[in-house]
Amino acid sequence: MKAIQVNDAFEQMKEKIISFEWVPGSRLSSNQIASELGMSRTPIEKALLLLEQFGLVTVENGKFIVSTFDLTDLIELYQVKEAIEVEAAKIILEKGGLTEKQLTQLKQIVERHSHAANVDDDRAYFQEGMNFHQTILELSGNRRLCTINNLIRYQNERAQLLNVLFPQQTDSVNEHMQLIAALENKDLDGSIQAISDHTQKTIMRFRRILDSPAFRKAVLGLSSLYGNYSV
């Protein structure tokens, strides 16, 4: 079996989970997935184990289950994100701050993020928001911070996609600009505050989404989507 088959299975299955096509709590049958994706069971089962490592799948009584989450899970996730981004900001400023090229790179991301918001391009808005946070970590130069982020990256993508599926008022563009301004001014306290404020506002948005009837109907199993892959 080639690694490319496992990677292909992983990518397709990951997208189904992140996009909520496979809803939280659904049981996953390797036979059914193999039939849908036109693959053998072996790469499917190996990909399921990888998805478990990234927190998108759990194993219960020998069955693979799409990971569920609640507000507590999201708070824990964003506490980790806040911790590593604060550390990244500290490292960046300890090294003397961002170069003009790096500042331009971040500002261009925010410009694309803002443009996506103005033209109601939800997918681009989602991608540029993720890109901004990933770039902050990369600019720190700390590979281990990036590794930690990669471990929770797909959980974060699933959470962030809630903002696309269940739109809530968001001011992420301005929140990102506040962090850039603090980094540009080499203001550590301001950078930490900007990261903390963004985290708290993000959690508040998730609280509203999780409390919404639309979320409970579509994602918590009250619709016909639930259990598509039950065995």
Side-chain angles (χ1 to χ4, degrees):
M1 181 185 60
K2 296 181 179 179
I4 192 171
Q5 292 177 303
V6 176
N7 184 67
D8 185 34
F10 174 84
E11 288 295 328
Q12 292 191 59
M13 294 159 68
K14 178 198 71 179
E15 289 305 313
K16 290 179 181 295
I17 293 172
I18 289 175
S19 67
F20 295 93
E21 182 176 341
W22 291 351
V23 297
S26 296
R27 287 185 291 175
L28 301 174
S29 163
S30 56
N31 284 329
Q32 288 178 288
I33 298 171
S35 176
E36 178 179 338
L37 300 186
M39 299 181 179
S40 67
R41 285 183 56 185
T42 302
I44 296 299
E45 290 171 349
K46 288 185 178 294
L48 283 167
L49 292 173
L50 286 174
L51 289 166
E52 182 187 11
Q53 292 179 26
F54 285 102
L56 294 180
V57 165
T58 57
V59 178
E60 299 176 14
N61 299 319
K63 302 292 185 181
F64 288 104
I65 310 291
V66 177
S67 296
T68 59
F69 62 88
D70 57 19
L71 184 61
T72 298
D73 294 313
L74 294 179
I75 289 173
E76 290 181 357
L77 175 64
Y78 276 82
Q79 285 172 337
V80 173
K81 282 188 79 285
E82 179 177 342
I84 60 178
E85 287 187 15
V86 164
E87 194 59 34
K90 289 179 180 178
I91 293 170
I92 288 170
L93 295 181
E94 285 171 359
K95 290 181 176 180
L98 297 172
T99 65
E100 287 300 320
K101 181 177 179 180
Q102 292 170 334
L103 283 167
T104 298
Q105 180 183 3
L106 286 175
K107 289 175 181 178
Q108 287 175 341
I109 293 172
V110 174
E111 285 175 5
R112 294 194 299 270
H113 196 197
S114 178
H115 175 73
N118 291 334
V119 299
D120 294 325
D121 187 340
D122 291 335
R123 286 287 179 168
Y125 184 84
F126 162 71
Q127 292 296 339
E128 294 300 343
M130 295 291 299
N131 189 21
F132 177 83
H133 293 282
Q134 178 69 27
T135 301
I136 291 289
L137 295 174
E138 291 173 353
L139 292 178
S140 76
N142 187 309
R143 292 174 298 171
R144 286 170 175 79
L145 286 182
C146 293
T147 297
I148 294 170
N149 186 61
N150 284 336
L151 287 173
I152 62 172
R153 174 183 176 184
Y154 301 128
Q155 295 176 58
N156 181 37
E157 286 189 11
R158 181 167 65 157
Q160 285 294 330
L161 196 56
L162 289 173
N163 290 305
V164 174
L165 299 176
F166 308 99
Q168 297 285 324
Q169 185 176 3
T170 176
D171 200 22
S172 291
V173 171
N174 286 334
E175 292 163 22
H176 292 168
M177 284 301 298
Q178 288 169 11
L179 176 55
I180 291 177
L183 290 172
E184 188 170 13
N185 292 329
K186 300 182 180 180
D187 179 358
L188 178 57
D189 290 340
S191 299
I192 293 173
Q193 188 63 54
I195 293 168
S196 178
D197 288 347
H198 181 56
T199 298
Q200 293 307 311
K201 290 176 182 177
T202 299
I203 290 171
M204 289 176 61
R205 288 193 286 270
F206 285 141
R207 186 188 300 274
R208 291 196 296 270
I209 290 171
L210 267 60
D211 285 343
S212 70
F215 174 82
R216 291 197 298 272
K217 180 178 180 181
V219 177
L220 296 185
L222 301 181
S223 74
S224 60
L225 290 175
Y226 188 79
N228 279 348
Y229 287 87
S230 295
V231 292

